Structures are given as structure tokens and as C-alpha cells.
Amino acid sequence: MNQDQIITELQFKAIRSSGPGGQHANKVSSKVELSFELNTSNGLTEREKKRIQLKLDNKLTKDGVLILQCDESRSQHKNKQLVIKRFFKLLEKSLIVPKPRKKSKPTRSSIEKRLKGKKIASLKKLNRGKPEF
């Protein structure tokens, strides 16, 4: 993943934000929307693109565009920094390959413990029945 290359491929749009700001909020576009076209990116390898496509499928549009928004701050510049940071965290998290699970065999003591518990439970239920004279 080439971060410098990816930063040049990001597209930003400033939108009017809801939230704090009083009368000034109606005049200023402080909310920042980041869009990134995954399929046309040169900063990612094909393998990385497939991995991201798989992991972030529910966050991507039909065209393969990832859209993130940030309106936490009243400053457009700060919102832009926050959304870029969030974007790279999301990419790094989606590129992590989980370790394959190794099958394990239950220990002898755990098997004996389970069987002993089953025996006790069956005796308990057997004693609940009507007594035979």
C-alpha cells in the first residue's frame, strides 16, 4: 500500500454540517466527504484491492467507491485530517489477514470431566421418576 499515491487519488467535497455553530453553521461548509475509487487505484496491488473489496463490501457503493464523512469539528481543515486518518485506519484494518485456525483435540481430562458430568445429570433425572415398590 502506497500512502502517498493513495492520498493523491482521494477526492474531497465540503458540505454544510449539522451540529454546533449557531447562526454561522448555516453559512459555512465544514463537513468533509471523502471518496475513494477502489477499482481505479494505482496505490494498491490487485491482491490488496480484492482483500479490501471482500472486507469492506457493505461500505462500498455498486461502483466500488468508498465514501466517508466527518463533521466532528467546526473546522473544515480538521475534519479533512480526521477523515483521512479514519480512512487509512480502515484500509489497514481490512488488509490484516487472520491466522488460520488450527484444529485441536480435546484433552483426556476434559473428556472424562464431560462424561462424568453427563453421568451425574442422568442419575439426577433417573431419581426424579416414580419409585418402584
Side-chain angles (χ1 to χ4, degrees), residues 35-87:
S35 56
F36 174 68
E37 289 191 39
L38 182 65
N39 302 328
T40 59
S41 174
N42 296 324
L44 297 167
T45 63
E46 287 302 315
R47 195 174 188 180
E48 289 174 332
K49 286 180 190 178
K50 285 180 184 174
R51 181 117 199 108
I52 292 169
Q53 181 88 40
L54 186 78
K55 285 282 190 174
L56 302 178
D57 191 42
N58 60 337
K59 293 185 188 296
L60 295 170
T61 63
K62 290 178 185 174
D63 306 326
V65 179
L66 178 67
I67 297 172
L68 296 174
Q69 295 178 341
C70 182
D71 63 347
E72 293 172 20
S73 172
R74 287 172 61 174
S75 163
Q76 187 185 108
H77 184 68
K78 197 168 187 181
N79 282 335
K80 189 174 179 180
Q81 290 174 336
L82 288 169
V83 80
I84 290 171
K85 193 183 286 185
R86 196 182 304 156
F87 169 73

